[in-house]
Amino acid sequence: MNKVLAKWWEPTDGGKILCTLCPRYCKIGDGQPGFCYIRQNIDGKLYSIGYGRPTGFAIDPVEKKPLNHFLPGSTILSFGTAGCNLGCKFCQNWSMSKAKLDDDNSLDVSPEGVVELAKNYRTPSIAYTYNDPTIFGEYVINISKIAREEGIKSVMVTAGYIDKEARKDVYKYIDAANVDLKGFTERFYWKNTYSHLNDVLDTLIWLKNETDVWFEITTLLIPDENDSPEEVRQECDWILKNLGDNIPLHFTAFHPDFRMLDKEKTPERTLTSARKIAIDSGIKYCYVGNIHNKEGQTTYCPNCNEKLIKRDWHSVISNKIKNGCCTACGEKIDGVYV
Ligand code: SF4
């Protein structure tokens, strides 16, 4: 597929191009790519060179995104591309996110082709995931528009590091998102992800107040980096105050990877303690991930405490939600259900 002229850029006085897609605001010289590798200045214009170039497809359970309140138990066509606009030292997908566009390892698939794949595999939704889909926003828009016409939903799995204007375009046909809130201090964000906390918080507030996108939040807890009870409590308090009590929160386990090989994997008790802090503070739905923990992976009715969805890892074992409500007491369970 040919490179596609990018949206969200402007020329600068110095002859470089300013990319306005994400808050990194790269200034890109002629012939150069931006930080994310897949947006390039070619002869004074910015091109999305990752457009139409997924690195492969998988059919995942939607719980793997993770989304526990969005079509639970369904499958989702999932793909990403090379590159990323963050620089996470602990990236668990670094073979993709740190790859430059490589013709041998990227496919060539039109937006229509992606939707056709979802139809062929009968997945009710498509996930833009693995690396951060913000950086291939033009491709996301074109796929999600066609998908919506075909009755297929679209899901962003993202760090939420996106410009305020660009996000209005990228999320126009998006139905759900999982946003990584990677920690709750600016120190952690800058040192370990090379991005800024406040930009991510701003995206979360925007999703809540100005869109109909169903979203859940994931925090990967890394020993001695972002896992202190105080930091977890501050994160929960911020969510409650700014987003409300019905946004599902996932605490997931880190394993040593990429440039963070000196840490141990997250102990189970760190995750269960964080979940307890969240629930005690008033968050209705909190889960643990990347470990086997049946209690921490069950959806409970926030009113009567009935076990509504039992899970093991990413598998749904049983689901007692009917018409979006608890079958025991009738309480509405927040989320998107068939
Ligand atoms: S999307 Fe890529 S090129 Fe654009 S500002 Fe962000 S990192 Fe830089």
Side-chain angles (χ1 to χ4, degrees):
M1 183 164 298
N2 291 331
K3 62 191 186 300
V4 164
L5 190 64
K7 293 171 176 278
W8 317 297
W9 62 275
E10 54 197 60
T12 68
D13 291 344
K16 292 185 172 179
I17 281 176
L18 177 71
C19 176
T20 57
L21 173 52
C22 94
R24 193 169 304 287
Y25 300 117
C26 296
K27 283 191 177 163
I28 309 170
D30 195 23
Q32 299 298 309
F35 179 92
C36 61
Y37 301 141
I38 64 164
R39 308 181 72 75
Q40 188 174 355
N41 177 345
I42 301 173
D43 296 333
K45 292 180 178 165
L46 190 67
Y47 286 87
S48 170
I49 59 170
Y51 188 102
R53 308 302 308 276
T55 47
F57 290 90
I59 309 291
D60 286 337
V62 73
E63 286 74 16
K64 193 175 175 184
K65 299 304 102 187
L67 287 173
N68 281 359
H69 292 237
F70 182 80
L71 306 179
S74 68
T75 53
I76 187 162
L77 179 73
S78 303
F79 75 91
T81 69
C84 195
N85 59 335
L86 271 76
C88 300
K89 290 180 183 165
F90 50 88
C91 183
Q92 319 254 301
N93 269 337
W94 63 272
S95 61
M96 282 175 64
S97 66
K98 293 300 153 203
K100 297 190 169 60
L101 195 66
D102 173 346
D103 285 341
D104 291 339
N105 290 318
S106 291
L107 306 171
D108 192 346
V109 187
S110 68
E112 291 82 359
V114 175
V115 176
E116 210 49 45
L117 268 177
K119 284 164 74 177
N120 290 345
Y121 285 96
R122 297 177 190 281
T123 64
S125 43
I126 297 168
Y128 314 95
T129 179
Y130 303 136
N131 61 337
D132 201 301
T134 296
I135 63 171
F136 55 92
E138 297 89 349
Y139 194 34
V140 168
I141 294 169
N142 290 355
I143 297 168
S144 56
K145 183 170 188 291
I146 299 167
R148 182 162 288 181
E149 287 163 6
E150 297 283 347
I152 295 168
K153 295 188 187 307
S154 282
V155 172
M156 293 281 279
V157 181
T158 178
Y161 197 57
I162 185 167
D163 173 76
K164 289 181 189 356
E165 289 302 315
R167 67 192 178 196
K168 294 180 197 164
D169 300 329
V170 174
Y171 283 77
K172 190 163 180 191
Y173 306 105
I174 295 298
D175 298 285
N178 187 293
V179 181
D180 275 344
L181 181 51
K182 293 172 185 276
F184 206 69
T185 62
E186 174 60 18
R187 182 202 64 83
F188 175 87
Y189 255 85
W190 185 247
K191 177 179 147 214
N192 293 308
T193 77
Y194 200 38
S195 67
H196 297 292
L197 172 62
N198 277 340
D199 293 304
V200 180
L201 300 181
D202 191 78
T203 297
L204 288 167
I205 291 172
W206 172 77
L207 280 170
K208 174 70 182 178
N209 293 342
E210 295 182 47
T211 76
D212 293 326
V213 175
W214 172 257
F215 67 98
E216 305 185 16
I217 295 172
T218 298
T219 302
L220 184 85
L221 292 179
I222 303 173
D224 302 325
E225 289 289 344
N226 63 354
D227 66 339
S228 74
E230 295 72 29
E231 188 169 335
V232 168
R233 201 167 287 111
Q234 283 170 6
E235 175 179 334
C236 294
D237 289 347
W238 183 90
I239 290 171
L240 283 164
K241 184 166 169 233
N242 293 279
L243 308 176
D245 60 5
N246 65 346
I247 308 296
L249 176 60
H250 303 253
F251 291 114
T252 55
F254 157 90
H255 65 263
D257 216 332
F258 192 43
R259 294 200 175 127
M260 201 176 271
L261 299 171
D262 57 331
K263 301 276 178 195
E264 297 293 315
K265 66 181 188 184
T266 314
E268 182 169 355
R269 68 176 176 284
T270 303
L271 300 168
T272 54
S273 300
R275 180 171 175 270
K276 185 170 185 322
I277 291 170
I279 289 171
D280 288 349
S281 68
I283 286 178
K284 283 183 179 172
Y285 314 103
C286 185
Y287 302 96
V288 297
N290 296 347
I291 58 164
H292 286 280
N293 181 288
K294 287 194 177 153
E295 186 186 342
Q297 284 154 2
T298 297
T299 298
Y300 293 87
C301 173
N303 183 50
C304 72
N305 212 35
E306 178 79 1
K307 287 182 181 173
L308 292 174
I309 303 180
K310 292 185 190 166
R311 300 181 185 80
D312 185 10
W313 202 265
H314 299 133
S315 300
V316 169
I317 310 298
S318 62
N319 181 354
K320 296 205 286 185
I321 295 176
K322 288 274 167 6
N323 301 321
C325 295
C326 170
T327 37
C329 74
E331 176 82 357
K332 179 178 176 294
I333 307 301
D334 300 281
V336 177
Y337 305 95
V338 284

